[in-house]
Amino acid sequence: MVEKEIVNRYYLLPRWLIFSVKMIDIISTRATLRILEYFFYKPVKFNVPKREEEFISKSVTSTMVMSQLEVGIEIYRMEAEGERVLLVHGWNGRAGQFHAIAKSCHDAGLDVTALDLPGHGESDGRHTALPEFVDAISEIYAHHGPFDHIIGHSIGAIAVLNGPRFGLKFKKIVTISIPATKVRSLFQNFIKMFGLSVDKYAELLIDRASKKYNADPNSFDPCIVSKDLDSEVLIIHCRDDEDARVSESIQLNAMVEGSDLYVASGLGHRRILRDAEVVGRLVDFLCA
């Protein structure tokens, strides 16, 4: 499980808010649930660091309006003659976080496409969820694909593993820093930081999510959808990742027949995306 203080840093929730929610829980479960939903589905947008500017400036950008959500998502492409790879970032992330991977893939002759998921980066929307991540991947595959390979980071890794069950075909799949093999734990870890009843509110959030998105969150579990993958799979994680335990990737590797696991050290949850050794192994895997 993700430690409470780490999750607090990740979601940037002030202590006064946590205290207030605990007080509201004493009065009203319904009001507490609405507050939890508001923050659970609301990503935080961060300023783009200079190291990502080159990737953005060298990409051909376009906007695709998702038919189901009717929101525009930003797409970045570095064209090449080789096989095509799609990059999918994680929660609170953006396409530019893949700048090192995108450059190395492109230098190796691969055609690279990345996107800002709904509610992230330059894309529209204020609230989003995992089912909408998968919808975005499906729509970009339909309108800008097909793609030979796909790479997902963090919750984006859960999303890419769900692509094949909706008919998307990839020769190779790469997951980086996957946070859970069971989606329920994402709900549980979020609720923990408020000091509320995990079992009570996890069930309530999952039930409401099933109705809101017309999909049971548990059906997106990597431990379920990864059993019959018809793709080569590379699983990457950092041993000291404080946002997502390395044991999740170890479990995933045991579930996916024939997958390869690479465990790095000293890189954390996000710096792993720009580490030279990690990027080199990833590109070698795609080009092999």
Side-chain angles (χ1 to χ4, degrees):
M1 295 296 181
V2 180
E3 295 298 326
K4 186 185 297 184
E5 62 269 21
I6 294 169
V7 181
N8 282 345
R9 280 206 312 271
Y10 189 71
Y11 283 91
L12 304 177
L13 296 182
R15 290 185 178 180
W16 65 262
L17 176 61
I18 296 173
F19 176 79
S20 299
V21 173
K22 291 175 75 173
M23 292 300 100
I24 294 171
D25 177 49
I26 298 174
I27 302 170
S28 172
T29 296
R30 178 178 294 184
T32 303
L33 186 58
R34 288 179 178 176
I35 294 171
L36 290 175
E37 285 184 315
Y38 176 84
F39 285 102
F40 187 73
Y41 298 120
K42 189 180 188 329
V44 178
K45 292 188 179 184
F46 297 95
N47 293 329
V48 178
K50 288 187 177 180
R51 61 176 173 266
E52 298 178 16
E53 292 178 356
E54 182 181 1
F55 161 73
I56 295 172
S57 65
K58 289 187 176 181
S59 299
V60 176
T61 61
S62 60
T63 302
M64 181 187 75
V65 178
M66 291 182 62
S67 59
Q68 295 186 35
L69 299 180
E70 296 184 347
V71 299
I73 57 175
E74 202 71 8
I75 298 170
Y76 309 82
R77 184 178 180 188
M78 300 175 70
E79 298 184 36
E81 295 297 323
E83 293 186 320
R84 303 193 62 195
V85 56
L86 177 63
L87 311 178
V88 183
H89 64 78
W91 192 257
N92 291 347
R94 57 196 173 274
Q97 290 178 308
F98 283 107
H99 64 93
I101 293 174
K103 182 180 184 303
S104 293
C105 285
H106 190 252
D107 289 346
L110 297 173
D111 185 292
V112 179
T113 300
L115 74 157
D116 288 333
L117 289 163
H120 293 74
E122 298 300 317
S123 293
D124 298 335
R126 298 183 62 186
H127 293 81
T128 189
L130 177 60
E132 294 180 349
F133 281 20
V134 179
D135 286 344
I137 294 171
S138 296
E139 290 209 31
I140 196 172
Y141 189 99
H143 296 287
H144 294 268
F147 298 95
D148 300 287
H149 317 301
I150 190 167
I151 302 170
H153 175 240
S154 194
I155 293 180
I158 298 178
V160 305
L161 287 173
N162 275 272
R165 78 181 179 110
F166 291 99
L168 310 187
K169 297 184 180 298
F170 302 104
K171 295 179 182 177
K172 298 179 181 180
I173 296 174
V174 180
T175 70
I176 306 174
S177 308
I178 195 166
T181 54
K182 292 185 177 181
V183 173
R184 175 180 295 272
S185 66
L186 301 177
F187 290 86
Q188 293 172 328
N189 291 337
F190 177 76
I191 296 165
K192 273 187 175 182
M193 68 181 175
F194 291 96
L196 302 174
S197 170
V198 173
D199 291 338
K200 172 184 175 181
Y201 281 106
E203 288 301 323
L204 289 172
L205 281 174
I206 289 173
D207 181 62
R208 286 172 64 93
S210 298
K211 297 172 182 175
K212 180 180 177 67
Y213 297 102
N214 195 30
D216 180 0
N218 297 310
S219 68
F220 291 84
D221 284 358
C223 65
I224 297 174
V225 301
S226 62
K227 289 182 179 179
D228 300 311
L229 289 176
D230 189 23
S231 307
E232 293 182 54
V233 180
L234 172 63
I235 301 166
I236 300 174
H237 214 115
C238 180
R239 194 179 310 279
D240 54 1
D241 188 331
E242 293 184 321
D243 291 344
R245 295 198 311 174
V246 67
S247 59
E248 299 293 344
S249 281
I250 294 174
Q251 290 177 28
L252 180 64
N253 182 56
M255 297 171 189
V256 181
E257 184 176 355
S259 61
D260 292 325
L261 173 66
Y262 172 61
V263 179
S265 297
L267 301 174
H269 191 64
R270 281 163 283 277
R271 191 153 53 91
I272 194 170
L273 294 174
R274 56 183 189 273
D275 176 72
E277 176 66 19
V278 170
V279 174
R281 285 176 178 264
L282 187 156
V283 174
D284 288 345
F285 171 73
L286 295 183
C287 295

